[in-house]
Amino acid sequence: VLPFESMTGPAEASFSEGVSIELQNLVAQLRKFKVKQPPEASILAHFSDIPTLAKEMDVRWVLKGSVRRAERRVRIAVQLIDADDDAAIVWSNVFDRELDVDNLFGIQAEIARAITSELRFSLDESAEQRLAGPPTQDTEAYEAYLLGRQRLTDMRVDWVEDAIEQFAKAIDLDPDFSKAYSGLAEACYLHEGYQQVARCPDSKSELLALARKAVQLDPDSGEAWISLGAILANSIDRSTFQAQPEEFTKATTEAQAAFQRGLSLQHDYSRGYLWYGHFLRKRSILDGTFRESYRNGVWVEVWQQGLEVYPLSLLLHTVVSMDAPSREESLWHAQRVVEIAPDSPLGFWRLSEVLWVEHGHVDESIRSASKL
């Protein structure tokens, strides 16, 4: 699901992209599809046509659309494209409705149903329940959540605080909005100095309580479980293990269960695989099983699953490169980062390290480091 284009102007771009992000999450939860995470804008700009992008992402079907908002009306146009058939449009529709939360979510549900019908899938009862109603009845809260999710998805450092503000606003408007709580917990977790941010909790325990609140409000929310797993994993350290081994076992068991539950519900969330892999690596270091777990590829396998969801992830290619089972695989993933984003320093950093440390190619390493 490509980011939807704003037909109202740049000021509405975040809202339009937020609508497509929610639609992607909704379709992924139907479990009839293997849904891939779309590239960030900086990577997407390198692809001039849909067939090339589809080949890189290893997908056949691409959904694209646009959003026009005027006063209290919204117009959403969508196209389902078959990338294997010369980018032929196999279904399209235009939805023109009054802008309220029921209509906005209703359009997303209609699109999801249309896709399943066009591709000849039938929806089971659990899938129909996911399409039954919006996560909140407050239109302004839903809009704030969409803006916050777009800001967080794009992962620009200067947008994390804006995401925090939007999620907090959504909670103010609807104190029972689960997605807003998980969004706020995740945004604060990603902000290194969150204790100094006005709308974030003051401590790790309060941040954990925020994530637990999201799960309590909606036990079927994948993003809520993934946020809980990440925050639990972050709270585990060596001092906890040495002083309270029972608490270490309890916390790691709960974190693993949260990640597994979250990824089973939201399989298209590549950041969840990134965090889950880091957790498994950290746990193996603390409990003394690192060598055996590394040989068995315990966390690298999880990161590889994330790359199946998002083949263009710079972070996942980088971490796989750092712990790959062979020098050749390590080099391939480092080179892949440079191929995907030739204007990013991340790939050249990893490539220079691999060329020098693992392959002894000092001159090539210097050239890569100079690029960096």
Side-chain angles (χ1 to χ4, degrees):
V1 181
L2 292 176
F4 283 11
E5 181 184 0
S6 171
M7 305 303 289
T8 319
E12 294 290 332
S14 296
F15 175 77
S16 302
E17 291 180 26
V19 170
S20 61
I21 291 166
E22 270 295 274
L23 176 60
Q24 172 204 319
N25 294 341
L26 192 61
V27 175
Q29 289 179 56
L30 300 183
R31 300 180 188 173
K32 295 288 184 181
F33 306 104
K34 188 175 182 180
V35 178
K36 304 293 183 81
Q37 181 179 319
E40 296 94 337
S42 59
I43 296 175
L44 195 57
H46 293 300
F47 297 95
S48 57
D49 61 85
I50 285 179
T52 303
L53 174 63
K55 185 178 180 180
E56 287 284 347
M57 292 292 291
D58 190 25
V59 298
R60 176 173 179 181
W61 308 96
V62 176
L63 192 76
K64 62 180 293 188
S66 63
V67 178
R68 184 185 298 276
R69 194 158 63 151
E71 296 181 352
R72 296 310 300 170
R73 293 197 69 82
V74 63
R75 180 185 177 92
I76 299 178
V78 288
Q79 296 177 338
L80 181 64
I81 295 167
D82 185 348
D84 285 359
D85 187 17
D86 198 27
I89 299 171
V90 296
W91 172 81
S92 64
N93 206 342
V94 177
F95 303 86
D96 195 337
R97 309 278 170 80
E98 182 180 348
L99 180 57
D100 62 42
V101 70
D102 286 317
N103 283 336
L104 193 53
F105 186 85
I107 291 171
Q108 294 169 345
E110 281 188 54
I111 294 170
R113 288 192 180 95
I115 293 170
T116 57
S117 175
E118 188 64 39
L119 302 185
R120 294 176 174 81
F121 287 114
S122 58
L123 297 178
D124 57 25
E125 185 178 347
S126 63
E128 284 290 355
Q129 288 176 350
R130 292 185 180 90
L131 301 177
T136 176
Q137 289 299 321
D138 190 299
T139 303
E140 195 176 348
Y142 193 49
E143 287 189 41
Y145 168 77
L146 292 178
L147 292 174
R149 182 51 65 188
Q150 186 276 335
R151 289 292 196 243
L152 207 56
T153 299
D154 209 34
M155 279 297 290
R156 277 178 48 178
V157 173
D158 55 337
W159 280 3
V160 175
E161 285 194 23
D162 190 24
I164 290 169
E165 287 297 324
Q166 295 298 333
F167 291 134
K169 177 183 177 182
I171 292 171
D172 290 342
L173 293 166
D174 181 358
D176 294 323
F177 189 1
S178 169
K179 284 176 171 285
Y181 282 96
S182 61
L184 181 59
E186 186 176 327
C188 292
Y189 168 74
L190 286 168
H191 194 297
E192 289 189 0
Y194 72 85
Q195 291 95 338
Q196 283 73 52
V197 179
R199 304 306 298 267
C200 285
D202 295 328
S203 65
K204 285 185 178 181
S205 61
E206 290 177 326
L207 184 61
L208 189 56
L210 196 65
R212 291 192 192 282
K213 175 80 170 178
V215 169
Q216 176 190 346
L217 288 169
D218 185 2
D220 292 326
S221 170
E223 63 186 69
W225 282 107
I226 291 169
S227 296
L228 176 60
I231 293 165
L232 278 167
N234 191 50
S235 68
I236 300 166
D237 55 33
R238 192 174 297 276
S239 61
T240 303
F241 177 46
Q242 291 173 340
Q244 299 174 297
E246 303 86 4
E247 288 300 312
F248 173 81
T249 302
K250 180 181 176 182
T252 53
T253 301
E254 185 183 4
Q256 180 160 5
F259 277 123
Q260 290 177 339
R261 173 69 171 154
L263 290 170
S264 71
L265 291 166
Q266 197 73 48
H267 68 265
D268 63 320
Y269 196 39
S270 69
R271 201 180 298 164
Y273 295 96
L274 179 71
W275 289 340
Y276 185 29
H278 277 306
F279 159 72
L280 293 173
R281 191 181 194 279
K282 177 181 180 180
R283 184 183 67 179
S284 73
I285 292 171
L286 293 175
D287 66 14
T289 62
F290 181 84
R291 288 178 180 272
E292 180 184 356
S293 298
Y294 175 74
R295 283 196 299 269
N296 292 331
V298 171
W299 54 86
V300 172
E301 183 178 334
V302 171
W303 289 336
Q304 293 281 16
Q305 291 171 4
L307 283 171
E308 291 179 15
V309 168
Y310 184 19
L312 302 180
S313 171
L314 305 185
L315 288 175
L316 282 168
H317 278 296
T318 300
V319 293
V320 171
S321 173
M322 294 172 75
D323 276 355
S326 70
R327 294 189 305 164
E328 291 72 25
E329 193 172 346
S330 179
L331 179 61
W332 184 87
H333 283 283
Q335 290 171 330
R336 191 75 185 107
V337 178
V338 174
E339 290 170 4
I340 295 168
D343 53 354
S344 168
L346 186 62
F348 292 106
W349 163 74
R350 181 59 196 154
L351 185 58
S352 65
E353 192 173 57
V354 173
L355 288 167
W356 172 31
V357 177
E358 297 186 27
H359 291 265
H361 298 166
V362 180
D363 290 348
E364 290 180 46
S365 175
I366 290 171
R367 282 194 290 272
S368 184
S370 298
K371 280 276 191 179
L372 164 65

